[in-house]
Amino acid sequence: MIKMTKVLGTKTLKPALLLMAAMLVAAGCSSGGGSTKAVEVSLDNRYTVDPETPAWQLDKKSETTDLTWYVNADWWNTDFGKDVVTKKIKEDLNINIKFITGDDTKLNTFFAGGDMPDLLTIFDSNSPVVQKAATWALPLNELAEKYDPYFNKVAAADTLNWFQLKDGKTYGYPNYSNTQADYDSGNIPAKTAFVIRKDVYEALGSPDFGTPEAFRKSMSEIKAKFPDMIPFGFNAIGEGTGSLGDALQDFIGVPLETEDGKFYNRNLDEDYLTWLRTLNAVYRDGAISDDSFADDGTGFEEKVKSGKYAAMLLDGTPQQGGNLQIFMSANPGKEYMAVDGPQSTQGHQPTLNQSGITGWMINYITKNCKDPAKAIQIFTYLLSEEGQKLMNYGIEGVTYKSNPDGTVELLPEVKDLQLNNADKFKKDYRMGEFMFFGHDRHKALSKDAFPESIKQMQEWGKGKLKPHFILENINPDQGTAEARGQTAINTNWNTTLVSMIRAKDEATFDSTLADHKAFLDKNNWSKIVEIRSEKMKANKEKLGIK
Amino acid sequence: MNRKVIREGLDSRIFDAVNKVLLVCFMVIILVPLWNVIISSLSSGRALAEGGFIFWSKEFSLENYRAVFNDSTIGQSFVVSVAKTFIGVITHVFFCAMIGYGLSKRYIRGRKLYVAMGVITMFFSGGMIPTYLLIKSLGLLNSFWVYIIPALFSYYDVVILMNFFRNVPDSLEESAKIDGAGDWHIFLKIFIPLSMPAMATIALFNGVGQWNDFMTTKLYITDQALYPLQMKLYEIIVQSQTQSMQNIGGSVVIETTTKGVQLATIVITTLPIVAMYPILQRYFISGMMLGAVKE
């Protein structure tokens, strides 16, 4: 600053600063705006609400309603009304949707600029935007009461409760939100598996991977017999833990909470650490590639596609389904299959996780919505049995047929297109892609819903799922000191995990672990545990657990 | 004495040879990855997934390019990109030159204040959200002019041009004035032609910036018809990444991989701007020379 003053001379700097101050004041005064009052729509000449009939069937509004729908994902396909699925939605509801996509930056500018879209879909239910939904979104329960009571018939009560804010209202509704009832129904397939290439498994005489000793021995054997392969792989680590964190913990059944219902640091569980020591030994045997720590998601996927790994701890099998299928189709008889992998040394059963009650994308109707009645009709429509089938399988008789046992099946020519001309299928049909309110329950209706490559893995996972509801959204609120501590701890754990597995000897392993424990203490860990325990308690109350 | 000359000649020949070898090595180091990007982009998804080639692909395929050009709107995006780069560069250079010309005159009143204000903007910017609000109230959201108007002015470029104009001898301006030339005439007929190297430099900087920029689109444009090539390709990449996640049943016939599409995209977007370098290069060389010669 001193230097600058010298260069410019104090004479010029003063007026410049004054001018800047004046500009700031002016800018400050002219702010405001942004918060708008919700639009009230009159239902006169349109329909009278009827709890037994979805409002979209009653609505006689003749002109087409134009709505803007913002999706906070750059990859979202913004077409509307051109393919089978969205064309039907457009006709049934007499709407025209203009999709806008973007990322968090764009979302922020929307909020700041005050020109909100009519509908909004975001992905992080722990974000401040969600916490403050009451300021910018319309409560779904009130909308339902006013314009479309049928909504309550198609929405899951548990999910609505889960997303209730402190004012007792629910503003957003997610997709892939699984309730206890969904878990109990058995319709949710497992998404985690320890898989091995069939040819490798058979060549080794179906070895055991259950105990640390057996795991290490089998990996060494793979390395000796198949030198071109990487014996053990796992999901790309990136900034998290890949499949070596929660997924491995679930696999060996590390408890979700302490005996008195408090937050339990699963990362420091002895059972889990025993397995990490084993992985370290396996690494030192040369059966884990250094590349695995550096690969990003794409790098990992290309290895899956080409069958580079002999065995993998795979999290998110549906996401890898396409890659696994590519390998399977090109290498018949060598496909990956799920086997009982690492097991608890203390006799715990696996407690595999699935998408929880929080789900994935959350949909909102904003206060700026031009026609909230139409908007809630869209929610009801897409959540209903009819809408769900449309999104996943298209139109009955045109793209799919129903079997007597209640399952559905794509018509042969559609199936053929799906398998042989993915681009055209995507463009003309777009089934399974318009999944704002998607749910696994409807995926379970058809054997066409998942690729062949992962069916055995899903079968293997039956009965091993356990809801992790109590651990959802328990991080300290964003912006607090604890949240910053939490972020630092996560980063530290990420590097600790990698360093432990790559440790050159056991002493290094232990000292790395000790460093992490010291780091926890330095970053207010006890306070974070307290916050998490409280949030777990609140979760239990919301869901009526114990 | 004769011997000495020969020895010197040998020395310098060895020096030259070593130099050449080093330069060739250096060139290879740069060219091999580039070449690999090009042939990988021309490779089938399966061959790329298996990997293991450097100089020639195992399976030649144009699928990656087909995937990119499959999008029917890509032609329009190309037009938008070219238009925004072309118009953007010309207006930017002209506008900055005008301001730079004005500020280069020591007799301009308030010059120091303007310079000080400009320097402040080099250290502090308004930030993303205030800028968004400004653009919004100017009515530039979803308008082609958002690519041009906010990009008209860059103080950095003004400083470069200002300093360049200062190097033009005052006597030139004086004699032109005696002959009756006005400010515009002096600016357009004397200063601009004399400053072509500086103009070309700034044009290239700005052109590359305009060509590669997609943040502007991301923030201010929602109308697909106004998407430049960069934004379109960005979309194609993210869509290819999430393809497997979206398809029910997971289509098995994926002839392209995310990596393949990315590489094809790199080639498509880099080629036009790389082609511009040789055209503008002569200005660079002369530009450096001119700056080195002092009056």
Side-chain angles (χ1 to χ4, degrees):
Chain A
M1 198 66 189
I2 295 167
K3 229 180 179 178
M4 212 168 88
T5 331
K6 251 188 202 163
V7 174
L8 302 167
T10 31
K11 263 189 192 165
T12 49
L13 198 65
K14 258 188 196 162
L17 285 174
L18 268 174
L19 193 83
M20 232 167 61
M23 282 184 332
L24 281 175
V25 172
C29 292
S30 64
S31 76
S35 66
T36 37
K37 267 206 89 158
V39 186
E40 287 279 336
V41 287
S42 156
L43 293 183
D44 297 343
N45 302 325
R46 283 178 68 173
Y47 63 95
T48 30
V49 288
D50 173 9
E52 296 307 316
T53 323
W56 66 270
Q57 289 176 355
L58 302 167
D59 199 346
K60 287 195 283 287
K61 186 178 179 184
S62 54
E63 72 269 31
T64 307
T65 312
D66 284 299
L67 294 170
T68 325
W69 192 329
Y70 175 77
V71 185
N72 198 32
D74 284 312
W75 46 266
W76 185 258
N77 179 352
T78 52
D79 283 344
F80 186 78
K82 291 178 190 154
D83 49 88
V84 169
V85 173
T86 53
K87 203 171 159 203
K88 181 96 166 70
I89 298 172
K90 186 183 166 134
E91 283 164 9
D92 280 352
L93 290 161
N94 193 18
I95 48 169
N96 205 2
I97 298 176
K98 186 191 170 201
F99 281 109
I100 302 175
T101 59
D103 54 12
D104 286 348
T105 323
K106 188 141 191 162
L107 186 68
N108 284 332
T109 56
F110 264 130
F111 276 89
D115 51 352
M116 297 283 284
D118 300 300
L119 295 126
L120 190 133
T121 298
I122 57 167
F123 288 75
D124 181 7
S125 50
N126 214 13
S127 70
V129 171
V130 170
Q131 307 299 330
K132 295 203 182 86
T135 59
W136 57 269
L138 293 173
L140 295 177
N141 16 14
E142 283 176 17
L143 285 178
E145 198 183 316
K146 228 189 277 178
Y147 303 119
D148 194 2
Y150 197 80
F151 172 78
N152 289 319
K153 282 193 195 287
V154 290
D158 273 1
T159 306
L160 285 173
N161 285 342
W162 181 253
F163 280 96
Q164 211 171 62
L165 292 188
K166 289 190 186 90
D167 59 2
K169 295 172 189 168
T170 304
Y171 294 86
Y173 198 91
N175 65 353
Y176 296 101
S177 160
N178 287 321
T179 60
Q180 184 66 47
D182 291 316
Y183 273 87
D184 295 342
S185 73
N187 281 336
I188 315 173
K191 66 172 179 68
T192 320
F194 178 79
V195 299
I196 181 164
R197 266 175 61 164
K198 202 174 173 192
D199 53 333
V200 175
Y201 194 60
E202 280 165 3
L204 294 177
S206 314
D208 180 27
F209 294 95
T211 62
E213 299 74 32
F215 187 86
R216 186 176 176 185
K217 187 167 151 279
S218 302
M219 286 303 163
S220 296
E221 276 172 23
I222 296 175
K223 187 176 154 49
K225 274 201 179 164
F226 298 90
D228 286 343
M229 268 188 245
I230 302 169
F232 181 61
F234 39 85
N235 290 55
I237 284 190
E239 286 168 11
T241 51
S243 52
L244 297 181
D246 296 344
L248 178 57
Q249 290 160 4
D250 293 338
F251 224 80
I252 57 173
V254 174
L256 300 182
E257 53 185 334
T258 59
E259 275 170 16
D260 52 352
K262 296 270 166 55
F263 178 78
Y264 178 58
N265 192 353
R266 302 175 82 206
N267 292 344
L268 300 183
D269 179 78
E270 272 313 314
D271 198 4
Y272 175 60
L273 289 175
T274 309
W275 273 102
L276 288 187
R277 278 176 216 280
T278 310
L279 289 180
N280 174 229
V282 172
Y283 172 79
R284 278 185 275 129
D285 292 342
I288 293 177
S289 157
D290 266 331
D291 285 350
S292 298
F293 300 102
D295 279 343
D296 57 0
T298 322
F300 171 69
E301 280 176 26
E302 318 243 279
K303 286 200 174 75
V304 174
K305 251 182 244 180
S306 52
K308 192 85 187 148
Y309 297 116
M312 285 185 273
L313 183 60
L314 196 55
D315 192 27
T317 46
Q319 283 81 2
Q320 298 301 327
N323 301 321
L324 291 166
Q325 188 67 45
I326 289 172
F327 177 72
M328 185 180 180
S329 308
N331 302 278
K334 293 183 180 175
E335 69 270 15
Y336 285 98
M337 53 187 249
V339 297
D340 293 335
Q343 278 151 44
S344 169
T345 54
Q346 294 167 7
H348 292 304
Q349 287 306 306
T351 52
L352 302 188
N353 197 5
Q354 236 290 7
S355 89
I357 195 155
T358 308
W360 186 36
M361 309 152 88
I362 320 169
N363 310 289
Y364 290 91
I365 299 169
T366 72
K367 285 189 176 168
N368 285 34
C369 185
K370 285 186 283 293
D371 188 343
K374 211 46 153 182
I376 190 79
Q377 285 172 23
I378 300 175
F379 275 42
T380 307
Y381 179 85
L382 293 174
L383 274 172
S384 71
E385 206 60 26
E386 202 176 344
Q388 291 285 332
K389 275 198 183 154
L390 172 67
M391 286 191 286
N392 281 314
Y393 308 107
I395 302 164
E396 182 156 17
V398 179
T399 55
Y400 76 92
K401 66 171 191 207
S402 292
N403 293 328
D405 59 353
T407 61
V408 300
E409 150 177 7
L410 294 180
L411 293 178
E413 65 269 22
V414 179
K415 182 80 195 157
D416 183 61
L417 203 59
Q418 182 196 21
L419 292 176
N420 298 314
N421 193 345
D423 288 338
K424 193 172 160 54
F425 178 78
K426 213 170 130 69
K427 210 169 172 157
D428 294 354
Y429 293 89
R430 207 182 176 189
M431 293 180 314
E433 201 195 299
F434 195 82
M435 66 309 206
F436 290 109
F437 295 92
H439 198 282
D440 281 324
R441 179 166 65 238
H442 296 91
K443 289 228 153 193
L445 281 177
S446 166
K447 59 182 197 311
D448 296 327
F450 289 106
E452 209 52 45
S453 57
I454 64 165
K455 283 184 181 155
Q456 185 266 346
M457 299 172 191
Q458 294 182 329
E459 194 60 34
W460 171 87
K462 274 196 176 154
K464 297 187 178 71
L465 286 174
K466 188 182 174 193
H468 286 40
F469 299 154
I470 50 167
L471 294 183
E472 286 179 42
N473 293 348
I474 55 166
N475 281 332
D477 291 336
Q478 280 188 26
T480 58
E482 287 76 24
R484 284 190 290 278
Q486 178 64 52
T487 311
I489 288 168
N490 288 349
T491 312
N492 183 268
W493 173 244
N494 161 276
T495 46
T496 302
L497 181 74
V498 174
S499 308
M500 286 198 299
I501 296 172
R502 297 183 65 208
K504 60 182 193 300
D505 51 44
E506 279 177 37
T508 321
F509 184 100
D510 290 332
S511 71
T512 315
L513 183 61
D515 286 348
H516 176 67
K517 285 180 181 163
F519 190 85
L520 286 179
D521 292 335
K522 256 188 268 164
N523 283 277
N524 229 348
W525 179 244
S526 56
K527 182 79 183 130
I528 296 170
V529 170
E530 211 175 285
I531 292 174
R532 288 185 154 178
S533 300
E534 267 168 40
K535 291 199 172 189
M536 283 166 71
K537 207 172 134 211
N539 283 353
K540 286 179 194 165
E541 278 164 16
K542 269 187 184 173
L543 296 168
I545 300 172
K546 284 191 274 192
Chain B
M1 197 176 146
N2 214 357
R3 207 192 256 171
K4 208 181 164 191
V5 171
I6 292 165
R7 250 194 31 208
E8 268 180 7
L10 187 69
D11 271 359
S12 72
R13 261 187 290 167
I14 292 174
F15 179 75
D16 280 354
V18 171
N19 246 349
K20 278 175 191 159
V21 169
L22 282 178
L23 280 176
V24 168
C25 290
F26 190 62
M27 201 174 73
V28 168
I29 291 172
I30 293 172
L31 282 183
V32 166
L34 275 179
W35 176 247
N36 188 259
V37 166
I38 294 170
I39 59 140
S40 300
S41 72
L42 286 167
S43 163
S44 74
R46 199 178 305 283
L48 196 60
E50 283 165 12
F53 56 79
I54 297 171
F55 296 106
W56 200 245
S57 160
K58 286 181 206 156
E59 222 177 288
F60 181 81
S61 152
L62 289 172
E63 273 308 314
N64 295 318
Y65 288 90
R66 204 187 61 87
V68 176
F69 287 113
N70 202 14
D71 201 307
S72 53
T73 56
I74 202 134
Q76 193 180 3
S77 300
F78 191 79
V79 173
V80 172
S81 265
V82 171
K84 94 181 179 81
T85 308
F86 191 73
I87 301 174
V89 167
I90 290 182
T91 51
H92 173 87
V93 172
F94 187 74
F95 192 76
C96 288
M98 273 201 312
I99 299 170
Y101 175 68
L103 290 180
S104 72
K105 302 294 160 213
R106 289 177 205 282
Y107 52 77
I108 288 276
R109 237 177 291 158
R111 181 176 157 272
K112 281 190 172 169
L113 175 67
Y114 293 131
V115 171
M117 279 165 63
V119 170
I120 288 169
T121 64
M122 289 175 87
F123 289 95
F124 308 100
S125 75
M128 193 183 68
I129 288 174
T131 312
Y132 177 85
L133 293 176
L134 175 68
I135 300 277
K136 190 184 165 225
S137 26
L138 290 174
L140 286 174
L141 290 184
N142 268 332
S143 152
F144 177 76
W145 298 107
V146 78
Y147 297 129
I148 310 297
I149 294 171
L152 272 181
F153 181 77
S154 149
Y155 190 70
Y156 183 79
D157 292 353
V158 167
V159 169
I160 294 176
L161 285 166
M162 186 171 77
N163 286 325
F164 210 90
F165 290 141
R166 274 189 193 159
N167 287 338
V168 177
D170 289 342
S171 44
L172 262 179
E173 193 185 342
E174 279 162 23
S175 61
K177 271 194 177 156
I178 291 167
D179 289 344
D183 282 330
W184 276 106
H185 194 88
I186 296 170
F187 172 59
L188 293 173
K189 292 282 157 67
I190 297 175
F191 279 80
I192 289 207
L194 280 175
S195 312
M196 277 322 271
M199 303 277 212
T201 311
I202 286 167
L204 187 75
F205 281 169
N206 190 254
V208 172
Q210 272 282 11
W211 182 262
N212 287 334
D213 169 57
F214 71 98
M215 242 358 238
T216 313
T217 320
K218 240 178 134 176
L219 288 175
Y220 309 127
I221 302 282
T222 50
D223 185 356
Q224 299 243 6
L226 288 172
Y227 275 12
L229 200 54
Q230 304 292 344
M231 187 67 191
K232 202 83 223 168
L233 297 172
Y234 170 76
E235 265 192 349
I236 293 171
I237 290 180
V238 279
Q239 275 172 12
S240 79
Q241 275 169 344
T242 41
Q243 207 164 29
S244 57
M245 203 159 71
Q246 294 182 356
N247 277 355
I248 58 159
S251 146
V252 291
V253 193
I254 297 177
E255 275 133 6
T256 58
T257 58
T258 310
K259 199 174 158 199
V261 174
Q262 277 172 356
L263 294 172
T265 313
I266 291 172
V267 174
I268 294 167
T269 49
T270 320
L271 220 53
I273 210 78
V274 167
M276 285 305 287
Y277 269 101
I279 301 170
L280 287 168
Q281 196 203 21
R282 61 197 180 99
Y283 289 110
F284 280 130
I285 295 168
S286 61
M288 277 178 249
M289 298 292 198
L290 208 117
V293 179
K294 288 267 159 19
E295 209 186 350

